[in-house]
Amino acid sequence: MKYDYLIVGSGLFGSVFAHEAKKRGKTCLVIEKRNHVGGNVYCENVDGINVHKYGAHIFHTNDKKIWDYVNSFVEFNRYTNSPIANYKGELYNLPFNMNTFYQLWGVKTPEEAKQKIQEQVKKLNINKPKNLEEQAISLVGEDIYNKLIKGYTEKQWGRKATELPAFIINRLPVRFTFDNNYFNDKYQGIPIGGYNTLIDKLLEGIEIKTDIDYFKDQEKWNSLAEKVVFTGKIDEFYDYKYGKLEYRSLKFEHSRLEQENYQGNAVVNYTEREIPYTRIIEHKHFEFGKQSHTVITKEYPQEWSLGKEPYYPINNDKNKEVYNSYKAESNNEEKVIFGGRLAEYKYYDMHQVIASALSRVKKEFND
Ligand code: FAD
């Protein structure tokens, strides 16, 4: 055998595994279906602006070990995610906090804001919410729901809020401080130089072949290595024999504009139903860019079908059952390791997929 590991997919899971295996003296070959490495964190450089091709990515974690791990490859900037919501031309700060409440109602103290929310929640007096709409109103009242939640959620799921189950929203974080930081995590930022720098450092010195679909010649690729680390779709691995796992997809419309600053913020959510996209990303603001041009991306949620990019797993009973059948079969594989968001049919944030790869490495090398 030429290699110890054949790694299918060069996203964060595959790249971390390859890096750690190499560090332990193992030989790896990484194959990647796309024409670039990095999976969904890949950025395309447009005259100095790193464009997040597969959706805006903001690194955040509470786990110091993971933060130190990524910082050992690349330094991070001080970017803090503070999205703006645009509802019919009115602008609001997110997440819901004292700034939002001031903008909505002119209230200036936490007491006044709490009272306003409680009044609205009480007015409709919903005891057992039957759907997402009732659930949201019972948590934050009508104004926040109608202006900031309803349209956005309906676009995201492609269904009316009254037709969506209540459990999708367990709780809605409401902050009674003037704090626009979207995340509660201790550590947050964007790699200086972009995510490609992180991936390139992880894959340094490792053999890589792009534009290779593992399934086009599975036998050949398997014959090259002792073991396979598979980070593609688990249902595809088993030729969909238990059925297809479903996803929600996204369409991205990127445009370069010859102006310095389009919207003054990296992320602006469009929360009204009538505008078909959910948000506009202006990529340069992730890195405090000073270029004379800018690049924006409109994000349109989409139904998924085979051939479209699978973005978000749909966690309903049907998909859980199908996944469990594949999972049971994969447990019997001695020469294949399944990992990452597609092979585990699971939404992972970046810090979580890195933690998952590191823990798989630990198990594999008994360290
Ligand atoms: P991927 O990055 O998908 O890598 C899998 C790779 O395998 C791909 O490159 C694919 O082309 C390749 N592959 C698949 N099949 C084959 C095959 N047959 N042959 C060869 N190669 C194959 N996380 C955050 O922490 N913060 C964020 O702000 C954030 N924003 C996100 C926004 C969006 C829209 C989405 C969808 C995700 C976001 N994430 C975010 C999550 C983040 O993208 C994932 O945690 C991460 O990309 C998962 O890495 P992975 O290696 O599991 O999968």
Side-chain angles (χ1 to χ4, degrees), residues 82-94 96 100 103-104 144-153 155 262-265 267-280 298:
S82 312
I84 298 286
N86 182 323
Y87 174 76
K88 301 195 172 171
E90 297 167 10
L91 300 185
Y92 297 97
N93 286 109
L94 295 175
F96 312 135
T100 329
Q103 290 147 355
L104 276 167
I144 298 180
Y145 171 70
N146 284 327
K147 291 193 168 183
L148 301 175
I149 298 173
K150 185 178 194 291
Y152 191 86
T153 311
K155 287 189 274 190
Y262 174 75
Q263 62 185 18
N265 204 41
V267 183
V268 178
N269 291 0
Y270 285 78
T271 56
E272 68 199 82
R273 183 72 190 85
E274 292 69 29
I275 289 183
Y277 41 86
T278 43
R279 46 185 200 166
I280 298 184
K298 290 181 178 160

Side-chain angles (χ1 to χ4, degrees), residues 93-136:
N93 286 109
L94 295 175
F96 312 135
N97 72 79
M98 283 304 297
N99 290 308
T100 329
F101 308 143
Y102 176 69
Q103 290 147 355
L104 276 167
W105 306 307
V107 293
K108 293 178 185 150
T109 66
E111 253 341 284
E112 288 173 304
K114 277 182 194 162
Q115 210 180 335
K116 194 85 191 165
I117 292 174
Q118 272 160 16
E119 259 170 39
Q120 294 206 354
V121 168
K122 267 199 201 136
K123 203 173 95 191
L124 291 179
N125 195 22
I126 298 166
N127 279 327
K128 280 199 182 136
K130 287 193 293 294
N131 52 49
L132 186 143
E133 175 161 305
E134 293 190 357
Q135 171 80 339

Side-chain angles (χ1 to χ4, degrees), residues 8-15 31-34 36-41 54-60 183 195 212-215 230-233 236 250 252 279 299 309-312 339-342 347-353:
V8 181
S10 63
L12 277 172
F13 192 97
S15 301
I31 59 170
E32 169 56 57
K33 190 160 81 170
R34 294 176 178 164
H36 58 76
V37 291
N40 281 358
V41 307
Y54 304 95
H57 278 74
I58 299 134
F59 197 94
H60 59 97
F183 297 114
Y195 288 95
I212 301 283
D213 185 342
Y214 171 63
F215 295 114
F230 180 75
T231 75
K233 286 165 62 204
E236 190 175 9
L250 293 169
F252 297 110
R279 46 185 200 166
E299 199 171 300
E309 280 296 334
Y311 282 111
Y312 298 109
R341 67 181 194 102
L342 297 168
Y347 179 82
Y348 270 127
D349 267 333
M350 291 179 277
H351 64 282
Q352 294 167 325
V353 87

